[in-house]
């Protein structure tokens, strides 16, 4: 392809034929080979991200934290005051720790980055004359593609045909008022003002259009400015804020304790200042929860990865915590609670009810009347219905293989196409005989769609309408009977509504079909091109109903049950009719028969305070416009609820943004909705929301387990120093500074990480949502860490110290802080702490459930961590260089046996405590 050197404006000005020639394309689009060649030539249609994060800065950051600085300084002091080995060791530990933190952050970043790749944008493009769905990155100049309300526009393109197209260009211009785009060229004032050009990075908010791509990727206007304005937004999530606060508070306490120790070491034990300083710093470092933030980030990122495997893509890490707090889910019905596998199983006419056999989108049934096959020629009214179903339709079914056809469009319309097929119509032939001249696209406010067609044999144009019954009845004044239109009567309307209600009560959803002759009467314009919603959708002739079944998703029953046990309320918000909505809600167990159904009209008249009162109880919203969802979300939030809300359309965006968790449908959702949402469901399934909430709760609970684990070892790390100080140095230090660092930054690291991979504890969805005000580090954890786990470990490690001394003739031999016995005793103290931590790792895995029930070995990472811990401590004991640095020595086989016995009673005692707690909960 010769690359055109014309500017966008010049291209937009050319006559259409010449324009096609310049881009070497036509209305049928490119063929696949040409498209492939062009893709090679111009590259993929993507905006390249400039690497704005400096990896180097991110790396260095881990060595300049408060704790790291303390360690650098204390290492330096140690080096200059004759404790060279200690100084080097402290630095080494600091280095390892910093690298580890960096690795955690990096891994977390990688996890979130890879999620972005899982959110593709699709474009419907014409290639070889057929419409197909491609990844927007494969779009090339010359491609003819269609735009629908809700699509994000992925190339700079010229409009060839358009109906009521409006584009939000705020991403480019900052102007949030949507602008009209039409096929005719007009320059307009300023940049981006060409009326027949749409730009990449903007979104269609209304209407439909066909466009031809002129520029893609970095060649687009958006690509040109994107390079200038790319920046990463860094919002501080509530959890991060809390962690920062927590780290600061604990650090402050640690520094205070360190100061006390420093003074006590000088005055009680008469240590030299430098030695006292290093000693005190050891304590400070032991207490500062240095690895907390990177660990939490990684843990959230891992949670996000796990969620993505359960079909929930989360955009920001902070959503993980909000999910765990969710108290109310405002959910769509169609496709979220139901399968969105519409099948028309009845066609209702005032004088007949036809049944349609066969299931789903596979064309394997037929239309019957009293169990006899129907021939359309004998049933003119049915023939009209079928024709409207086929023609007033923007969907295509591509039968790639007969079992699972691909739908380009919506399931509701696909069901209507299948109806036409089942009646024996040839769709292509029909479309040629009744070419479409105008469309008034579906929107969820009108809840209907209109198309205008020319009829064969010079019969003039005809207007076809399909949509929600109530709306269509309101604009119909005729009824088709025995092939003739006659004025519609009150009795007719009663009869139609009765039929509709009978279907709705069975959970079926019906759609009304109507038509109007384009005969210039009653306000119709002279030209079909001037048809608008206002002048066209009136004086209709009502024909009948198409009745669809959309069965609930099979997983829904379980998910709803889980929500109820977890005290999460579900509020159905649907555009469907009140009765259908209620029938489905009762069927899947969301609501009881007593549920209050509020319609969109009622809602519009309700005051905010009435609405707030209403959403406290059992309630369903039906026939609502998407804009009204926003009010429902707000009313719930006013009541103190944490609200998750689903949405798919353009007009759902405000509600999605307002909700604490906005959830967009990945399959049927528009790009606008996906953009506004915090989470995207790749399978549109309500059950995936519940799975994500469960995962959110699990991540939080695992963080608490992690916190409990790392905090509890602080006690046995501190107690030896307390003993030493309070005996005025009479009892030599049972645990040296380097040994404290070993536990804190060495052996604890991997088992702690293992805790974050813990699966959901059974019963996690049997608890009410945690309060927004709840603290990560709550009283129960503080008590358990310091008063229970920590105390036991201190006791055992102190016993270990004195026991070794006792074996070697305490007190005479061991009072000196040197010599073989002393080293042996400190080694045993260290090892005892490590083995207590092994028990703690196992005990922290559950809050109340028995670890034997979830499987003692079910978390491999914990055991990997424990294995690492034991190897590390053995290395410290037996590798000569390390022995010197860490003040350790080899121990006897008998001592090892003793150590390996430590965890057993600890785990068993804790199991007993958990059993008691379980018993209390059950009561
Ligand atoms: P829900 O909130 O359950 O997802 P929708 O917003 O999809 O419902 O649809 C609301 C109503 O709009 C439907 O009950 C139906 O009457 C009408 N409707 C839906 N899709 C179409 C369509 N393609 N053409 C005409 N009317 C439609
Ligand atoms: Mg919908």
């Amino acid at each position: 392809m010769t690359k055109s050197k014309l500017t966008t404006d010049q291209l937009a000005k050319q006559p259409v034929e010449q324009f096609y020639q310049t881009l070497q394309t036509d209305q049928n689009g490119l063929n696949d080979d040409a498209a492939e060649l062009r893709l090679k030539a111009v590259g993929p249609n993507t905006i390249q991200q400039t690497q704005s994060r400096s990896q180097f800065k991110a790396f260095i950051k881990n060595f300049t934290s408060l704790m790291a600085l303390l360690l650098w300084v204390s290492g330096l002091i140690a080096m200059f005051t004759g404790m060279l080995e200690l100084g080097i060791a402290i630095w080494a530990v600091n280095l390892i720790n910093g690298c580890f933190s960096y690795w955690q952050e990096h891994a977390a970043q990688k996890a979130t980055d890879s999620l972005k790749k899982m959110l593709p944008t699709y474009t419907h493009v014409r290639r070889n004359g057929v419409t197909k769905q491609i990844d927007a990155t494969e779009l090339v100049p010359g491609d003819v593609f269609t735009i629908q309300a809700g699509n994000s526009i992925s190339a700079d393109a010229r409009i060839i045909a358009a109906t009521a197209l409006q584009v939000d260009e705020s991403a480019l211009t900052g102007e949030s008022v949507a602008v009209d785009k039409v096929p005719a060229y007009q320059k307009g004032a300023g940049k981006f003002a060409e009326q027949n050009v749409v730009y990449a990075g903007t979104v269609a908010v209304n209407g439909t259009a066909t466009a031809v791509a002129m520029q893609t990727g970095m060649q687009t206007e958006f690509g040109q400015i994107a390079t200038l304005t790319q920046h990463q937004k860094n919002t501080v999530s509530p959890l991060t804020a809390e962690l920062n606060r927590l780290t600061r508070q604990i650090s402050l306490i640690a520094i205070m304790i360190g100061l006390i120790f420093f003074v006590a070491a000088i005055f009680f034990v008469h240590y030299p200042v430098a030695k006292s300083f290093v000693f005190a710093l050891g304590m400070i470092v032991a207490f500062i929860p240095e690895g907390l933030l990177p660990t939490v980030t990684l843990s959230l990122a891992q949670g996000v990865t796990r969620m993505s495997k359960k079909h929930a893509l989360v955009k920001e890490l902070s959503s993980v915590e909000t999910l765990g707090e969710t108290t109310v889910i405002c959910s769509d019905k169609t496709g979220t609670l139901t399968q969105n596998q519409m099948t028309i199983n009845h066609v209702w006419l005032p004088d007949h009810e036809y049944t349609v056999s066969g299931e789903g989108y596979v064309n394997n049934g037929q239309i019957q009347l009293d169990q006899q096959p129907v021939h359309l020629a004998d049933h003119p009214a049915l023939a009209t219905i079928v024709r409207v179903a086929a023609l007033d339709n923007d969907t295509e079914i591509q039968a790639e293989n007969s079992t699972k056809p691909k739908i380009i469009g919506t399931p509701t319309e696909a069901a209507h196409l299948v109806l036409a097929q089942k009646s024996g119509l040839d769709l292509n032939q029909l479309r040629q005989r009744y070419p479409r001249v105008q469309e008034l696209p579906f929107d969820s406010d009108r809840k209907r769609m209109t198309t205008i067609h020319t009829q064969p044999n010079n019969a003039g144009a005809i207007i076809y309408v399909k949509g929600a019954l109530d709306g269509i009845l309101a604009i119909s004044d005729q009824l088709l009977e025995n092939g003739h239109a006659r004025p519609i009567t009150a009795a007719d309307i009663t009869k139609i509504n009765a039929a509709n209600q009978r279907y709705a009560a069975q959970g079926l959803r019906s759609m009304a079909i109507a038509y109007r002759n384009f005969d210039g009467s009653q306000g119709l314009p002279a030209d079909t091109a001037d048809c608008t919603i206002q002048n066209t959708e009136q004086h209709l002739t009502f024909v009948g109903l198409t009745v669809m079944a959309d069965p609930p998703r099979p997983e829904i029953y379980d998910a709803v049950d889980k929500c109820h046990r977890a005290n999460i309320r579900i509020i159905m918000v649907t555009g469907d009719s009140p009765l259908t909505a209620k029938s489905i809600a009762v069927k899947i167990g969301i609501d009881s028969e007593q549920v209050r159904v509020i319609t969109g009209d009622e809602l519009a008249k309700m005051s905010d305070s009435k609405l707030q009162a209403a959403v406290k109880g059992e309630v369903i919203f039906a026939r609502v416009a998407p804009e009204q969802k926003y009010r429902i979300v707000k009313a719930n939030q006013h009541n103190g609820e944490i609200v998750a809300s689903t949405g798919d359309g353009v007009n759902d965006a405000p509600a999605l943004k307002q909700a604490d968790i906005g959830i967009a449908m990945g399959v049927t959702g528009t790009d606008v909705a996906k953009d506004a949402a915090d989470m995207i469901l790749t399978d549109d399934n309500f059950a995936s929301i519940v799975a994500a909430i469960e995962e959110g709760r699990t991540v939080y609970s695992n963080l608490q387990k992690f916190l409990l684990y790392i905090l509890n070892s602080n006690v046995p790390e501190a107690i030896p120093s307390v003993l030493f100080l309070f005996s005025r140095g009479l009892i030599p230090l049972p645990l040296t500074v380097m040994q404290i660092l070993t536990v804190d930054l060495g052996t604890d690291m991997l088992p702690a990480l293992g805790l974050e991979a813990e699966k959901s504890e059974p019963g996690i969805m049997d608890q009410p949502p945690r309060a927004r005000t709840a603290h990560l580090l709550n009283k129960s954890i503080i008590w358990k860490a310091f008063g229970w786990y920590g105390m036991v470990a201190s006791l055992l490690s102190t016993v270990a110290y004195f026991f070794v001394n006792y074996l070697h003739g305490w007190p005479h031999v061991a009072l000196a802080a040197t010599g073989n016995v002393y080293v042996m005793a400190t080694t045993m103290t260290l090892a005892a702490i490590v083995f207590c931590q092994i028990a703690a790792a196992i005990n922290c895995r559950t809050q109340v459930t028995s670890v034997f029930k979830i499987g003692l070995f079910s978390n491999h990472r914990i055991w990997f961590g424990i294995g690492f811990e034991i190897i590390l401590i053995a290395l410290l004991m037996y590798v000569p260089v390390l022995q010197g640095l860490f003040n350790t020595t080899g121990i006897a086989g008998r001592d090892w046996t003793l150590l390996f016995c430590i965890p057993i009673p600890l785990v068993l005692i804790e199991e007993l405590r958990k059993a008691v707690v379980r018993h209390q909960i059950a009561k």
Side-chain angles (χ1 to χ4, degrees):
M1 171 204 163
T2 49
K3 223 177 128 208
S4 116
K5 288 180 191 70
L6 297 176
T7 64
T8 302
D9 189 59
Q10 286 166 329
L11 279 170
K13 250 192 289 212
Q14 288 183 331
V16 177
E17 281 315 312
Q18 191 189 343
F19 167 74
Y20 276 136
Q21 257 175 31
T22 316
L23 285 174
Q24 296 181 12
T25 183
D26 59 34
Q27 51 269 37
N28 287 325
L30 301 169
N31 64 41
D32 284 326
D33 297 338
E36 202 174 311
L37 279 178
R38 287 187 196 193
L39 187 61
K40 276 201 192 110
V42 298
N45 180 27
T46 48
I47 307 293
Q48 273 125 38
Q49 296 282 333
T50 45
Q51 188 60 275
S52 62
R53 275 195 310 279
S54 155
Q55 288 298 328
F56 180 70
K57 249 195 205 150
F59 183 69
I60 289 301
K61 201 188 74 202
N62 296 292
F63 301 96
T64 53
S65 67
L66 174 66
M67 198 234 21
L69 291 178
L70 285 176
L71 281 179
W72 292 131
V73 172
S74 59
L76 207 64
I77 291 178
M79 286 179 206
F80 282 106
T81 50
M83 301 174 275
L84 182 66
E85 285 179 345
L86 180 64
I88 294 175
I90 291 177
W91 276 30
V93 163
N94 202 12
L95 230 94
I96 293 173
N97 188 56
C99 291
F100 183 66
S101 293
Y102 172 73
W103 170 78
Q104 284 184 307
E105 281 181 352
H106 189 70
Q109 191 64 49
K110 244 174 59 185
T112 34
D113 281 352
S114 71
L115 277 185
K116 295 208 181 91
K117 296 202 189 83
M118 294 170 74
L119 291 171
T121 314
Y122 296 106
T123 306
H124 291 167
V125 46
R126 276 187 91 70
R127 295 256 174 99
N128 308 321
V130 246
T131 305
K132 63 181 208 177
Q133 178 173 295
I134 62 164
D135 201 310
T137 57
E138 291 164 19
L139 200 70
V140 294
D143 260 331
V144 179
F145 62 100
T146 55
I147 299 170
Q148 279 186 326
N151 285 164
S152 65
I153 290 161
S154 37
D156 289 357
R158 172 169 171 175
I159 302 289
I160 297 301
T163 311
L165 182 66
Q166 287 191 312
V167 178
D168 176 352
E169 296 190 327
S170 55
L172 282 175
T173 59
E175 174 58 64
S176 61
V177 179
V179 289
D180 296 316
K181 294 283 176 179
V182 291
Y185 172 81
Q186 199 183 345
K187 176 81 183 76
K191 243 188 150 188
F192 312 122
E194 286 97 345
Q195 271 195 357
N196 64 343
V197 179
V198 287
Y199 292 93
T202 63
V203 288
V205 292
N206 194 37
T208 54
T210 307
V212 179
M214 298 186 284
Q215 304 285 4
T216 59
M218 294 306 283
Q219 251 60 57
T220 62
E221 297 291 340
F222 187 63
Q224 313 267 313
I225 51 175
T227 40
L228 301 177
T229 57
Q230 268 172 27
H231 59 271
Q232 206 121 17
K233 81 165 185 256
N234 256 329
T235 44
V236 180
S237 78
L239 188 62
T240 316
E242 181 176 352
L243 284 168
N244 281 332
R245 200 168 49 240
L246 199 67
T247 312
R248 259 200 311 277
Q249 282 166 355
I250 301 180
S251 303
L252 217 70
I253 298 174
I255 289 172
M256 256 147 54
I257 295 177
L259 264 177
I260 297 173
F261 275 34
F262 177 65
V263 175
I266 293 178
F267 290 101
F268 282 5
V269 197
H270 307 294
Y271 256 22
V273 176
K275 203 170 169 188
S276 304
F277 184 75
V278 173
F279 164 69
L281 268 174
M283 281 326 298
I284 295 176
V285 170
F287 269 83
I288 294 180
E290 58 290 332
L292 205 53
L293 206 56
T295 315
V296 168
T297 311
L298 180 60
S299 165
L300 290 175
Q302 284 170 345
V304 164
T305 309
R306 284 196 299 268
M307 282 182 190
S308 72
K309 293 195 181 113
K310 295 176 180 169
H311 310 286
L313 303 189
V314 162
K315 288 192 203 158
E316 301 251 345
L317 293 185
S318 59
S319 298
V320 178
E321 47 174 317
T322 319
L323 273 166
E325 295 167 345
T326 305
T327 58
V328 168
I329 307 173
C330 294
S331 176
D332 282 340
K333 175 180 72 67
T334 311
T336 314
L337 297 169
T338 63
Q339 297 181 9
N340 221 358
Q341 265 272 351
M342 309 269 179
T343 313
I344 295 182
N345 44 27
H346 301 286
V347 175
W348 183 88
L349 299 180
D351 48 0
H352 284 305
E353 187 198 57
Y354 297 86
T355 54
V356 184
S357 56
E359 288 218 329
Y361 304 126
V362 185
N363 178 22
N364 61 358
Q366 62 182 169
I367 301 181
Q368 297 176 320
L369 178 63
D370 301 330
Q371 281 149 29
Q372 297 299 316
V374 162
H375 300 285
L376 281 190
D378 310 330
H379 298 257
L382 177 66
T384 306
I385 295 241
V386 169
R387 207 179 311 126
V388 178
L391 296 172
D392 185 2
N393 201 313
D394 279 335
T395 294
E396 277 191 54
I397 304 177
Q398 288 170 351
E400 283 173 348
N401 54 56
S402 57
T403 45
K404 189 125 181 50
K406 197 171 153 76
I407 291 169
I408 301 190
T410 69
T412 301
E413 296 203 333
H416 282 81
L417 282 186
V418 172
L419 174 73
Q421 288 174 342
K422 285 178 179 173
S423 72
L425 276 182
D426 179 340
L427 288 178
N428 282 330
Q429 199 190 348
L430 189 68
R431 283 180 190 141
Q432 272 161 20
R433 291 185 63 217
Y434 291 82
R436 183 191 286 189
V437 289
Q438 243 287 45
E439 175 184 7
L440 305 170
F442 171 76
D443 68 55
S444 19
D445 291 320
R446 276 157 55 239
K447 300 191 174 57
R448 59 179 165 264
M449 164 173 172
T450 297
T451 51
I452 305 169
H453 305 261
T454 40
Q455 299 185 93
N457 311 328
N458 293 327
I462 186 139
I463 298 160
Y464 288 146
V465 186
K466 76 174 194 308
L469 174 66
D470 26 10
I472 287 194
L473 276 186
I475 51 172
S476 297
D477 47 19
Q478 308 260 26
L479 179 99
L480 188 69
E481 193 177 61
N482 299 327
H484 299 287
R486 62 155 175 84
I488 198 165
T489 65
D492 293 330
I493 292 186
T494 313
K495 192 174 161 191
I496 295 167
N497 279 329
N500 179 47
Q501 287 188 9
R502 205 176 50 202
Y503 291 125
Q506 299 168 40
L508 301 173
R509 137 195 197 132
S510 47
M511 188 114 83
I513 305 281
Y515 73 95
R516 182 181 185 188
N517 289 315
F518 189 81
D519 52 9
S521 65
Q522 292 168 303
L524 269 179
D527 190 338
T528 50
D530 298 327
C531 282
T532 63
I533 290 168
Q534 287 73 26
N535 63 25
T536 310
E537 290 181 351
Q538 51 176 332
H539 305 297
L540 305 183
T541 302
F542 175 88
V543 189
L545 302 172
T546 52
V547 185
M548 282 161 280
D550 179 19
R553 290 176 176 271
E555 321 81 11
I556 219 72
Y557 300 92
D558 248 7
V560 168
D561 181 52
K562 250 189 196 168
C563 285
H564 285 166
R565 281 189 282 125
N567 268 6
I568 299 168
R569 287 194 306 129
I570 306 165
I571 299 179
M572 185 193 275
V573 182
T574 177
D576 223 333
S577 76
L579 256 174
T580 310
K582 179 177 168 180
S583 152
I584 298 272
V586 172
K587 185 170 178 191
I588 60 184
I590 297 180
D591 295 295
S592 70
E593 282 290 346
Q594 278 69 46
V595 62
R596 176 171 178 199
V597 186
I598 298 176
T599 64
D601 290 341
E602 288 162 12
L603 176 59
K605 295 189 197 104
M606 254 182 176
S607 68
D608 281 341
S609 57
K610 280 252 172 62
L611 180 59
Q612 284 152 16
V615 294
K616 280 185 186 150
E618 243 192 327
V619 64
I620 288 175
F621 293 89
R623 280 284 185 251
V624 291
E627 294 88 332
Q628 296 182 307
K629 234 187 239 174
Y630 175 82
R631 278 189 72 202
I632 299 170
V633 169
K634 269 217 108 135
N636 273 296
Q637 287 173 328
H638 183 269
N639 292 345
E641 310 282 5
I642 307 292
V643 185
S645 174
T646 66
D648 49 16
V650 186
N651 302 335
D652 286 321
L656 290 176
K657 280 193 187 135
Q658 177 64 31
D660 298 281
I661 291 283
I663 304 167
M665 299 300 134
V667 185
T668 57
T670 57
D671 299 330
V672 174
K674 288 180 197 168
D675 213 49
D678 302 294
M679 182 166 106
I680 291 157
L681 297 181
T682 53
D683 62 351
D684 290 10
N685 191 343
F686 181 82
S688 306
I689 304 176
V690 182
I693 290 179
E694 181 165 357
E695 197 58 64
R697 287 184 174 198
T698 304
V699 169
Y700 196 85
S701 131
N702 284 355
L703 282 179
Q704 291 187 317
K705 290 170 184 174
F706 164 81
L707 212 56
L708 171 60
Y709 178 80
I710 61 164
L711 284 182
N712 98 87
S713 63
N714 283 346
V715 187
E717 284 166 21
I719 294 290
S721 306
V722 174
L723 281 180
F724 163 72
L725 290 175
F726 279 86
S727 66
R728 297 181 141 247
L730 196 67
I731 303 171
L733 204 55
L735 200 64
T736 65
V737 173
M738 274 316 291
Q739 288 172 343
I740 292 177
L741 293 183
T742 304
V743 176
D744 214 57
L745 304 176
T747 57
D748 265 6
M749 221 136 66
L750 287 189
L753 276 191
L755 282 173
E756 313 216 321
E758 200 56 53
K759 292 208 182 61
S760 309
E761 190 166 337
I764 197 154
M765 290 301 268
D766 290 333
Q767 294 158 12
R770 81 174 175 272
R772 178 134 270 200
T773 49
H775 288 294
L776 189 65
L777 183 60
N778 58 29
K779 283 204 191 79
S780 142
I781 294 177
I782 295 177
W783 186 87
K784 256 200 212 166
F786 296 113
W788 173 233
Y789 289 15
M791 269 309 157
V792 174
S794 308
L795 197 74
L796 282 176
S797 52
T798 315
V799 166
Y801 178 74
F802 286 110
F803 186 66
V804 174
N805 278 310
Y806 169 78
L807 287 181
H808 295 88
W810 169 272
H812 307 292
V813 197
L815 273 185
T818 48
N820 203 23
V821 178
Y822 173 66
V823 175
M824 219 141 80
T826 59
T827 305
M828 267 308 265
T829 314
L830 172 66
I833 295 178
V834 169
F835 276 84
C836 284
Q837 281 297 87
I838 291 177
I842 296 169
N843 288 337
C844 287
R845 287 183 60 202
T846 63
Q847 264 158 16
V848 290
T849 316
S850 165
V851 282
F852 297 108
K853 191 173 166 209
I854 61 166
L856 187 57
F857 298 101
S858 59
N859 184 343
H860 299 306
R861 287 208 213 173
I862 293 265
W863 287 99
F864 180 73
I866 290 175
F868 167 81
E869 217 170 5
I870 295 173
I871 291 171
L872 188 64
I873 189 85
L875 284 177
L876 294 187
M877 286 180 194
Y878 294 103
V879 176
V881 192
L882 298 177
Q883 280 178 338
L885 280 180
F886 288 85
N887 223 20
T888 45
T889 179
I891 53 172
R894 178 200 56 203
D895 299 335
W896 276 113
T897 318
L898 208 66
L899 288 174
F900 272 99
C901 287
I902 287 180
I904 298 168
L906 290 187
V907 170
L908 292 181
I909 291 170
E910 177 65 1
E911 279 293 309
L912 195 68
R913 191 193 67 80
K914 285 173 185 168
V916 172
V917 175
R918 280 200 302 274
H919 188 69
Q920 277 170 347
I921 292 173
K923 267 202 296 192

